[in-house]
């Protein structure tokens, strides 16, 4: 069984053709996981920055609160967009 891009321990028991297929599948799974992480982190940073900028117009504590909300929205949006690639 293949879990999130890891190679099975008995890969040497497969013939060369199947080893290549399993290896390519494992590498593509790693890339998908990396893309999810990249989207989530990037959009959470952008959401937090926008929240900080908007809240900073009012005051420091407001900037902190709106930044946290913007970060949460960014995480949610990043995960939803990443689901479209599954």
């Amino acid at each position: 069984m293949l879990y999130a891009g890891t190679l099975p321990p008995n890969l040497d028991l497969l013939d060369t053709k199947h080893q290549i297929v399993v290896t390519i599948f494992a590498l593509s799974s790693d890339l998908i996981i990396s893309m999810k992480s990249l989207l989530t982190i990037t959009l959470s940073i952008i959401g937090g920055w926008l929240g900080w900028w908007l809240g900073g117009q009012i005051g420091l504590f407001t900037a902190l609160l709106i930044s946290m909300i913007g970060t949460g929205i960014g995480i949610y949006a990043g995960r939803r967009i990443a689901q479209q690639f599954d």
Side-chain angles (χ1 to χ4, degrees), residues 6-79:
T6 58
L7 294 174
N10 56 355
L11 185 63
D12 56 338
L13 298 177
L14 297 174
D15 61 343
T16 306
K17 178 182 171 186
H18 288 99
Q19 284 181 1
I20 293 171
V21 170
V22 169
T23 304
I24 290 173
F25 180 75
L27 292 175
S28 66
S29 295
D30 281 341
L31 292 175
I32 290 171
I33 290 171
S34 298
M35 186 59 134
K36 287 180 184 178
S37 299
L38 182 65
L39 277 170
T40 302
I41 290 170
T42 303
L43 290 179
S44 68
I45 290 170
I46 292 171
W49 177 79
L50 285 173
W52 187 266
W53 180 75
L54 288 171
Q57 307 298 322
I58 299 171
L60 183 64
F61 190 68
T62 306
L64 176 68
L65 290 176
I66 296 177
S67 174
M68 288 188 292
I69 293 169
T71 301
I73 292 171
I75 291 171
Y76 176 77
R79 290 186 177 188

